[in-house]
Amino acid sequence: MREENQLSRRVFLAVAAGTVVSIGLPGLFATVGEARQEELAKALRPDGRPRVPPGQTAIEQIEDMGGRPGSPRPEDFRLRVHGEVENPLALDFEALMAFKQQNFTCDVHCVTGWTLLDSTWRGVPMAALLDRAKPTKHAKFVVIEAAHGYTTSIPLDEARKPDVFLAHTLFGSPLPGPNGGPVRAVVPDRYFYKSAKWVKGLKIVSKDELGFWETRGYSNSADPWKEERYSR
Ligand SMILES: Nc1nc2c(c(=O)[nH]1)N[C@H]1C(S)=C(S)[C@@H](COP(=O)(O)O)O[C@H]1N2
Ligand SMILES: [Mo]
């Protein structure tokens, strides 16, 4: 099933080659069984919202949704926290690991329709990096910068929430290269394109800057419970 799915996706990409990049294809993923889906349809989060947001289907394991990869080697990792900050940071992998490490369990929701529940990660809260960098009074948004010019942005208040983090570990193993290793951002309560893989920088700004998918028709607010998939 999974093999078949990936094959169809590759065939699609081959057909689509030369045209615009696709954010991914809906409906090609190994979903959880029907009984589990029915059970999940009634499940609520502690905040009262549905466990599986509208129009989403739970899948068995994380997908590699592509993107132009950065180096997967921790030795090559560099992270800048810059822009509207009093104390700009330039960190290598070791310096990131010197921050207090935390475990995170969360659900992630890809705009193409899949939801992965109970993913377990390890990393550093974005708030800890921001606290060290000290955003100025003009700071309002965080532009998450990744390899080859991929960007996405979130409001600073969102970036400071305790469930937003930079991850180097997924399900107890080093984050695989295709999923953004060595380090990616995870913003669980927004569609997954806000979770930049192969992260290189956090640029703090006073005015929002639309990111890669956000300039290609996808929603900037990207709230899965409001089904904010496309920009209007
Ligand atoms: N740097 C970078 N990050 C990215 C992307 C990308 O193309 N490049 N794609 C986004 C999209 S659309 C999704 S759904 C998730 C996919 O993450 P995954 O491949 O680990 O499932 O990464 C997001 N982060
Ligand atoms: Mo996506």
Side-chain angles (χ1 to χ4, degrees):
M1 170 71 150
R2 197 158 181 272
E3 295 270 318
E4 232 173 71
N5 288 348
Q6 297 213 335
L7 184 65
S8 346
R9 193 158 157 247
R10 253 184 249 126
V11 169
F12 168 82
L13 290 175
V15 170
T19 65
V20 278
V21 233
S22 168
I23 201 166
L25 275 188
L28 295 178
F29 306 108
T31 59
V32 298
E34 256 172 63
R36 175 77 175 134
Q37 279 188 48
E38 275 169 35
E39 179 186 301
L40 284 170
K42 289 171 258 159
L44 298 179
R45 299 166 23 125
D47 64 14
R49 293 189 287 182
R51 192 73 202 282
V52 180
Q56 296 292 113
T57 307
I59 57 166
E60 295 278 5
Q61 56 189 111
I62 196 166
E63 296 289 337
D64 162 15
M65 295 299 285
R68 198 171 156 205
S71 167
R73 291 158 34 104
E75 307 89 279
D76 294 336
F77 174 75
R78 297 289 182 279
L79 180 80
R80 292 209 304 148
V81 185
H82 62 119
E84 284 290 346
V85 293
E86 286 170 21
N87 180 34
L89 310 178
L91 309 171
D92 59 13
F93 193 76
E94 211 180 326
L96 183 73
M97 296 305 280
F99 277 78
K100 188 174 176 231
Q101 304 294 308
Q102 249 179 253
N103 294 323
F104 300 85
T105 300
C106 62
D107 306 334
V108 296
H109 314 285
C110 174
V111 73
T112 60
W114 61 255
T115 284
L116 181 72
L117 301 171
D118 295 318
S119 54
T120 60
W121 309 78
R122 193 167 171 78
V124 175
M126 210 178 270
L129 297 163
L130 294 168
D131 286 349
R132 176 95 48 105
K134 295 190 171 49
T136 70
K137 63 176 196 292
H138 306 292
K140 290 285 183 305
F141 297 89
V142 176
V143 177
I144 308 170
E145 303 170 309
H148 309 293
Y150 184 97
T151 62
T152 186
S153 68
I154 53 175
L156 182 62
D157 293 346
E158 177 94 15
R160 283 193 155 124
K161 287 184 181 165
D163 62 345
V164 173
F165 57 98
L166 297 192
H168 51 71
T169 297
L170 172 60
F171 294 122
S173 300
L175 181 62
N179 298 113
V183 180
R184 79 179 295 166
V186 182
V187 186
D189 286 356
R190 304 284 150 190
Y191 284 122
F192 212 22
Y193 54 86
K194 294 286 182 183
S195 295
K197 306 194 273 191
W198 312 291
V199 66
K200 292 177 71 169
L202 302 177
K203 185 173 74 170
I204 320 305
V205 294
S206 56
K207 275 199 197 136
D208 200 6
E209 295 176 13
L210 290 182
F212 182 85
W213 287 117
E214 293 89 337
T215 55
R216 287 165 176 79
Y218 286 87
S219 168
N220 191 33
S221 40
D223 182 335
W225 288 272
K226 296 183 183 157
E227 281 208 70
E228 294 170 338
R229 296 177 196 272
Y230 308 103
S231 49
R232 281 167 297 152

